[in-house]
Amino acid sequence: VDAEHHARDDDRAALVLENLSIDYPKRGRVPAFRAVADASLTLQPGEVLGLVGESGSGKTTIARAIVGLVPIAEGQLRVAGQQMLGVDPKELRAVRRKLGIVFQDPGSSLNPRWPVGASIGEPLDLAGVDRKEISTRVVELLDLVELPRDFRNRYPHELSGGQRQRIGIARALA
């Protein structure tokens, strides 16, 4: 019964890594090396996961594999139900539309020349959402991250680090 329950959970999971290994190829004088070895985890919809470890432990490499930026050497990786091993470009684009990344340094992830409302709305614009819907959604996202609606007209340098991080979260949710 436990195995059956586990299999159903894995089918609905937002993210599944099973015995995942990732290698970086030889580059110049730097020899090839295994950046991640035998990593496994399951993340259900609505769950939050903090991946911690020392510098060089593979946290960023795992994140890059999840969004399809680095190839998988061994194991299985499913993101939003899509098998990522051998994924074709069209399927990869569809998976990426379902993902949002919140960067560690919010200041460097926002364009300093754009008001933050434009930064929040950019992913929606790239997805082909019309301007009126974008405007409505930006207001909803500011409400969701508990920032005043008039922040949409402010620039990143006018906000605190915590406020910029909330803008980054709103952008990821967009």
Side-chain angles (χ1 to χ4, degrees), residues 113-153:
R113 295 185 182 123
W114 288 5
V116 296
S119 290
I120 294 170
E122 183 186 25
L124 299 168
D125 188 34
L126 294 173
V129 176
D130 73 67
R131 295 271 183 217
K132 187 171 172 76
E133 272 186 74
I134 291 172
S135 180
T136 301
R137 184 67 178 140
V138 166
V139 169
E140 290 170 356
L141 289 164
L142 285 168
D143 289 346
L144 192 61
V145 297
E146 299 181 2
L147 288 175
R149 292 176 175 189
D150 67 346
F151 272 39
R152 69 182 306 158
N153 300 316

Side-chain angles (χ1 to χ4, degrees), residues 36-103:
V36 175
D38 200 32
S40 295
L41 67 89
T42 302
L43 187 64
Q44 297 298 329
E47 284 186 320
V48 176
L49 171 74
L51 191 57
V52 297
E54 61 187 66
S55 179
S57 64
K59 303 177 301 290
T60 299
T61 300
I62 289 172
R64 293 181 74 197
I66 290 168
V67 297
L69 294 176
V70 295
I72 301 156
E74 297 172 2
Q76 298 292 317
L77 172 59
R78 277 196 332 274
V79 179
Q82 173 65 53
Q83 180 59 249
M84 297 299 283
L85 190 61
V87 65
D88 72 49
K90 184 178 179 180
E91 292 168 329
L92 182 57
R93 279 191 298 278
V95 169
R96 285 181 176 161
R97 281 191 190 100
K98 298 176 185 178
L99 300 176
I101 299 173
V102 179
F103 295 95

